Amino acid sequence: MAEKSTRLNDLPVAEHFRLREFECPCCHCVRLCPLLVELLEAVRAQWGKPVVISSGYRCPSHNKRVKGAARSLHLEGRAADVLVPFNEQSAVEVFARRAGFTQVIPYGRRNFMHLGIA
């Protein structure tokens, strides 16, 4: 018998992602556009490495606390920040655009990228 999880939002939403990866860290609420998950799976397939999400959905108070844009796609569940080593960001940018992301912002030596769909 499979072990039961009692962790909030511990549900698979795609082959390589669970809902909890997209939840707001302060309130555990989630808004998630299904297309975002689809495109992240496409990036993972092209890159050949796991895509680790550092920021998914943000509630308005958390977005303000992290100084996110007032109209951030994170507020709508249409963006994720993913961990990408600096030296791999140019390749992942190509993969993300090829997958269909309309916002692809590398953060250089901070080792993450913002991927969003407008």
Side-chain angles (χ1 to χ4, degrees), residues 32-96:
L32 181 58
C33 176
L35 181 58
L36 178 66
V37 180
E38 238 179 84
L39 299 185
L40 288 169
E41 283 283 3
V43 169
R44 186 186 196 284
Q46 292 176 75
W47 192 16
K49 296 182 178 184
V51 172
V52 178
I53 298 165
S54 61
S55 181
Y57 171 69
R58 297 180 192 153
C59 71
S61 62
H62 183 69
N63 191 59
K64 192 174 283 188
R65 202 167 24 259
V66 299
K67 297 180 173 54
R71 297 181 51 154
S72 171
L73 293 176
H74 287 276
L75 294 164
E76 301 173 18
R78 301 176 73 78
D81 294 340
V82 299
L83 302 180
V84 181
F86 171 70
N87 65 337
E88 296 184 57
Q89 289 181 14
S90 58
V92 174
E93 183 173 358
V94 170
F95 302 149

